[in-house]
Amino acid sequence: MLPWFRAARVPRTRSLLAALLLALTVLVAPTATASAAPAAEAATSRGWNDYSCKPSAAHPRPVVLVHGTFGNSIDNWLVLAPYLVNRGYCVFSLDYGQLPGVPFFHGLGPIDKSAEQLDVFVDKVLDATGAPKADIVGHSQGGMMPNYYLKFLGGADKVNALVGLAPDNHGTTLLGLTKLLPYFPGVEKFISDKTPGLADQVAGSPFITKLTAGGDTVPGVRYTVIATKYDQVVTPYRTQYLDGPNVRNVLLQDLCPVDLSEHVAIGTVDRIAFHEVANALDPARATPTTCASVIG
């Protein structure tokens, strides 16, 4: 046992445990508020999840948006989805990783099973739109989980590009808090048993080990990672980056030094990041991303 741990009083121990659980429970996503049925209607009324949409010659591939942990198909994308629809894309989003009896908050189930849900959803979108391939944009777990789909479920044949906003591609230490797990007997098992989607994202987990074995990427897919140095969830932030051909790793502050977006904001409201998403989806028409992109 570590000296600081032996010396700590009970309230201090409890506060550390509370901080650990809070940090793990806030892993990767904005708060969800809408019910499923009204939310689906809201999405269609805003122009996305419209299965009558047919891709244009300018944007021939549908875009599939994949939310983060504790997110859902609507709340994570209230800004980015209309942003892309207004630029002529057919845009779709799914809910995945639901646990029995847990409404609204998704992305908590085993990530390999969530990837299977993504597989089914992409097929549905391709069938509806008639497109041979889709592009995927994901936030946090939603930027990492599709890698499993690409590597192990045949997704590389159906996906042209994967764009990750603050993706935990190599897991996360959560600012080192995950290293405290062995000192709280039972907590690690609780997290693994009750919220496997969280346990899978811890750096060094069996899931992350399998995902990263043999390299980060697969042939034929273009990868873009957009990170922020102020990320307080996927840490260290450079672990978000991928290594391989057809990879572009972008630090938001290299595009706009005064952008202070952290983990949630980069995936939900940051129009500078979203401009870079648009560039990644259509590199032939890319324009420089700067601080002024917020008004674009």
Side-chain angles (χ1 to χ4, degrees), residues 89-117:
Y89 289 93
C90 293
V91 180
F92 302 86
S93 60
L94 78 156
D95 288 316
Y96 70 87
Q98 299 92 331
L99 291 179
V102 181
F104 310 137
F105 303 103
H106 305 318
L108 297 174
I111 297 180
D112 58 347
K113 300 302 181 184
S114 294
E116 292 175 5
Q117 291 181 276

Short mmCIF file of all heavy atoms in Angstrom, two decimals, residues 89-117:
data_model
loop_
_atom_site.label_atom_id
_atom_site.label_comp_id
_atom_site.label_asym_id
_atom_site.label_seq_id
_atom_site.Cartn_x
_atom_site.Cartn_y
_atom_site.Cartn_z
N TYR A 89 -24.77 17.47 -47.16
CA TYR A 89 -24.55 16.06 -46.86
C TYR A 89 -25.84 15.38 -46.40
O TYR A 89 -26.69 16.02 -45.76
CB TYR A 89 -23.51 15.91 -45.74
CG TYR A 89 -22.10 16.25 -46.15
CD1 TYR A 89 -21.59 17.54 -45.96
CD2 TYR A 89 -21.26 15.30 -46.72
CE1 TYR A 89 -20.29 17.86 -46.33
CE2 TYR A 89 -19.97 15.61 -47.09
CZ TYR A 89 -19.48 16.88 -46.90
OH TYR A 89 -18.19 17.19 -47.27
N CYS A 90 -25.96 14.10 -46.72
CA CYS A 90 -26.96 13.25 -46.08
C CYS A 90 -26.34 12.75 -44.77
O CYS A 90 -25.29 12.12 -44.78
CB CYS A 90 -27.32 12.06 -46.96
SG CYS A 90 -28.18 12.50 -48.49
N VAL A 91 -27.00 13.05 -43.66
CA VAL A 91 -26.41 12.82 -42.35
C VAL A 91 -27.31 11.90 -41.52
O VAL A 91 -28.53 12.07 -41.49
CB VAL A 91 -26.19 14.14 -41.60
CG1 VAL A 91 -25.58 13.90 -40.22
CG2 VAL A 91 -25.31 15.08 -42.42
N PHE A 92 -26.68 10.94 -40.85
CA PHE A 92 -27.42 9.97 -40.04
C PHE A 92 -26.68 9.75 -38.72
O PHE A 92 -25.46 9.86 -38.65
CB PHE A 92 -27.55 8.64 -40.78
CG PHE A 92 -28.22 8.77 -42.12
CD1 PHE A 92 -27.48 9.09 -43.26
CD2 PHE A 92 -29.59 8.58 -42.25
CE1 PHE A 92 -28.09 9.22 -44.50
CE2 PHE A 92 -30.21 8.72 -43.48
CZ PHE A 92 -29.47 9.04 -44.62
N SER A 93 -27.44 9.46 -37.67
CA SER A 93 -26.82 9.17 -36.37
C SER A 93 -27.56 8.00 -35.72
O SER A 93 -28.75 7.79 -35.94
CB SER A 93 -26.86 10.40 -35.47
OG SER A 93 -28.20 10.82 -35.23
N LEU A 94 -26.84 7.26 -34.91
CA LEU A 94 -27.42 6.08 -34.25
C LEU A 94 -27.21 6.16 -32.76
O LEU A 94 -26.33 6.86 -32.26
CB LEU A 94 -26.78 4.80 -34.78
CG LEU A 94 -25.38 4.43 -34.27
CD1 LEU A 94 -25.15 2.92 -34.38
CD2 LEU A 94 -24.28 5.20 -35.00
N ASP A 95 -28.03 5.39 -32.03
CA ASP A 95 -27.81 5.10 -30.62
C ASP A 95 -27.18 3.72 -30.54
O ASP A 95 -27.58 2.79 -31.25
CB ASP A 95 -29.12 5.10 -29.84
CG ASP A 95 -29.69 6.49 -29.66
OD1 ASP A 95 -28.92 7.42 -29.34
OD2 ASP A 95 -30.91 6.66 -29.85
N TYR A 96 -26.21 3.55 -29.64
CA TYR A 96 -25.56 2.25 -29.49
C TYR A 96 -25.16 2.07 -28.03
O TYR A 96 -25.12 3.01 -27.25
CB TYR A 96 -24.33 2.15 -30.39
CG TYR A 96 -23.18 3.03 -29.95
CD1 TYR A 96 -22.25 2.59 -29.01
CD2 TYR A 96 -23.03 4.32 -30.44
CE1 TYR A 96 -21.21 3.42 -28.58
CE2 TYR A 96 -22.00 5.15 -30.02
CZ TYR A 96 -21.10 4.69 -29.09
OH TYR A 96 -20.07 5.50 -28.66
N GLY A 97 -24.84 0.83 -27.68
CA GLY A 97 -24.33 0.55 -26.34
C GLY A 97 -25.31 0.78 -25.22
O GLY A 97 -24.93 1.14 -24.12
N GLN A 98 -26.62 0.52 -25.49
CA GLN A 98 -27.62 0.69 -24.45
C GLN A 98 -27.52 -0.43 -23.41
O GLN A 98 -27.29 -1.59 -23.75
CB GLN A 98 -29.03 0.71 -25.04
CG GLN A 98 -29.28 1.83 -26.02
CD GLN A 98 -29.00 1.47 -27.47
OE1 GLN A 98 -28.15 0.63 -27.75
NE2 GLN A 98 -29.71 2.09 -28.39
N LEU A 99 -27.71 -0.09 -22.13
CA LEU A 99 -27.81 -1.08 -21.07
C LEU A 99 -29.27 -1.22 -20.66
O LEU A 99 -30.01 -0.23 -20.66
CB LEU A 99 -26.98 -0.67 -19.85
CG LEU A 99 -25.45 -0.69 -20.02
CD1 LEU A 99 -24.78 -0.23 -18.73
CD2 LEU A 99 -24.96 -2.07 -20.41
N PRO A 100 -29.70 -2.43 -20.32
CA PRO A 100 -31.10 -2.62 -19.91
C PRO A 100 -31.48 -1.71 -18.75
O PRO A 100 -30.75 -1.60 -17.75
CB PRO A 100 -31.12 -4.10 -19.48
CG PRO A 100 -29.99 -4.74 -20.20
CD PRO A 100 -28.92 -3.68 -20.30
N GLY A 101 -32.60 -1.05 -18.91
CA GLY A 101 -33.10 -0.20 -17.84
C GLY A 101 -32.43 1.16 -17.72
O GLY A 101 -32.72 1.91 -16.79
N VAL A 102 -31.52 1.48 -18.65
CA VAL A 102 -30.84 2.77 -18.62
C VAL A 102 -31.24 3.58 -19.85
O VAL A 102 -30.72 3.35 -20.94
CB VAL A 102 -29.31 2.61 -18.58
CG1 VAL A 102 -28.63 3.98 -18.52
CG2 VAL A 102 -28.89 1.75 -17.39
N PRO A 103 -32.20 4.51 -19.73
CA PRO A 103 -32.61 5.31 -20.88
C PRO A 103 -31.67 6.48 -21.12
O PRO A 103 -30.93 6.90 -20.22
CB PRO A 103 -34.00 5.81 -20.47
CG PRO A 103 -33.90 5.93 -18.97
CD PRO A 103 -32.98 4.81 -18.52
N PHE A 104 -31.71 6.99 -22.32
CA PHE A 104 -31.03 8.24 -22.69
C PHE A 104 -29.51 8.14 -22.76
O PHE A 104 -28.90 8.68 -23.67
CB PHE A 104 -31.39 9.39 -21.74
CG PHE A 104 -32.85 9.57 -21.51
CD1 PHE A 104 -33.33 9.83 -20.25
CD2 PHE A 104 -33.75 9.48 -22.56
CE1 PHE A 104 -34.69 10.00 -20.03
CE2 PHE A 104 -35.11 9.64 -22.35
CZ PHE A 104 -35.58 9.90 -21.08
N PHE A 105 -28.89 7.51 -21.76
CA PHE A 105 -27.43 7.48 -21.67
C PHE A 105 -26.89 6.20 -22.30
O PHE A 105 -27.07 5.11 -21.76
CB PHE A 105 -26.98 7.58 -20.21
CG PHE A 105 -27.50 8.80 -19.52
CD1 PHE A 105 -28.56 8.70 -18.64
CD2 PHE A 105 -26.94 10.04 -19.76
CE1 PHE A 105 -29.04 9.83 -17.99
CE2 PHE A 105 -27.41 11.17 -19.11
CZ PHE A 105 -28.48 11.07 -18.23
N HIS A 106 -26.21 6.36 -23.43
CA HIS A 106 -25.79 5.19 -24.20
C HIS A 106 -24.27 5.09 -24.23
O HIS A 106 -23.55 5.87 -23.61
CB HIS A 106 -26.37 5.26 -25.61
CG HIS A 106 -27.86 5.41 -25.64
ND1 HIS A 106 -28.71 4.72 -24.81
CD2 HIS A 106 -28.68 6.18 -26.42
CE1 HIS A 106 -29.97 5.04 -25.06
NE2 HIS A 106 -29.97 5.94 -26.03
N GLY A 107 -23.77 4.10 -24.96
CA GLY A 107 -22.34 3.89 -25.07
C GLY A 107 -21.74 3.24 -23.84
O GLY A 107 -20.55 3.37 -23.58
N LEU A 108 -22.56 2.49 -23.08
CA LEU A 108 -22.09 1.87 -21.85
C LEU A 108 -21.88 0.37 -21.99
O LEU A 108 -21.29 -0.26 -21.11
CB LEU A 108 -23.09 2.13 -20.71
CG LEU A 108 -23.28 3.61 -20.34
CD1 LEU A 108 -24.39 3.75 -19.31
CD2 LEU A 108 -21.98 4.19 -19.81
N GLY A 109 -22.41 -0.22 -23.05
CA GLY A 109 -22.28 -1.66 -23.25
C GLY A 109 -20.92 -2.04 -23.78
O GLY A 109 -20.10 -1.18 -24.11
N PRO A 110 -20.62 -3.35 -23.86
CA PRO A 110 -19.34 -3.81 -24.40
C PRO A 110 -19.10 -3.20 -25.78
O PRO A 110 -19.97 -3.22 -26.65
CB PRO A 110 -19.50 -5.33 -24.47
CG PRO A 110 -20.59 -5.64 -23.49
CD PRO A 110 -21.51 -4.47 -23.51
N ILE A 111 -17.90 -2.69 -26.00
CA ILE A 111 -17.66 -1.92 -27.22
C ILE A 111 -17.67 -2.82 -28.46
O ILE A 111 -18.08 -2.38 -29.53
CB ILE A 111 -16.35 -1.12 -27.11
CG1 ILE A 111 -16.48 -0.10 -25.97
CG2 ILE A 111 -16.05 -0.38 -28.41
CD1 ILE A 111 -15.26 0.77 -25.76
N ASP A 112 -17.26 -4.08 -28.33
CA ASP A 112 -17.33 -4.96 -29.50
C ASP A 112 -18.78 -5.17 -29.94
O ASP A 112 -19.06 -5.24 -31.14
CB ASP A 112 -16.62 -6.29 -29.24
CG ASP A 112 -17.17 -7.05 -28.05
OD1 ASP A 112 -17.95 -6.48 -27.25
OD2 ASP A 112 -16.84 -8.24 -27.91
N LYS A 113 -19.70 -5.21 -28.99
CA LYS A 113 -21.12 -5.33 -29.33
C LYS A 113 -21.65 -4.03 -29.92
O LYS A 113 -22.50 -4.04 -30.81
CB LYS A 113 -21.92 -5.73 -28.09
CG LYS A 113 -21.51 -7.05 -27.48
CD LYS A 113 -21.62 -8.19 -28.48
CE LYS A 113 -21.22 -9.52 -27.86
NZ LYS A 113 -21.25 -10.63 -28.86
N SER A 114 -21.16 -2.90 -29.42
CA SER A 114 -21.55 -1.61 -29.99
C SER A 114 -21.10 -1.52 -31.45
O SER A 114 -21.82 -0.98 -32.30
CB SER A 114 -20.94 -0.47 -29.18
OG SER A 114 -21.47 -0.43 -27.87
N ALA A 115 -19.92 -2.05 -31.74
CA ALA A 115 -19.42 -2.05 -33.13
C ALA A 115 -20.33 -2.88 -34.03
O ALA A 115 -20.52 -2.55 -35.20
CB ALA A 115 -18.00 -2.57 -33.17
N GLU A 116 -20.90 -3.94 -33.49
CA GLU A 116 -21.85 -4.73 -34.28
C GLU A 116 -23.10 -3.92 -34.58
O GLU A 116 -23.67 -4.04 -35.68
CB GLU A 116 -22.21 -6.01 -33.51
CG GLU A 116 -21.05 -7.00 -33.37
CD GLU A 116 -21.40 -8.20 -32.52
OE1 GLU A 116 -22.57 -8.32 -32.11
OE2 GLU A 116 -20.50 -9.03 -32.27
N GLN A 117 -23.54 -3.10 -33.63
CA GLN A 117 -24.68 -2.22 -33.89
C GLN A 117 -24.35 -1.21 -34.98
O GLN A 117 -25.19 -0.89 -35.83
CB GLN A 117 -25.09 -1.50 -32.61
CG GLN A 117 -25.69 -2.39 -31.55
CD GLN A 117 -26.09 -1.62 -30.31
OE1 GLN A 117 -25.27 -1.36 -29.43
NE2 GLN A 117 -27.34 -1.23 -30.22
#
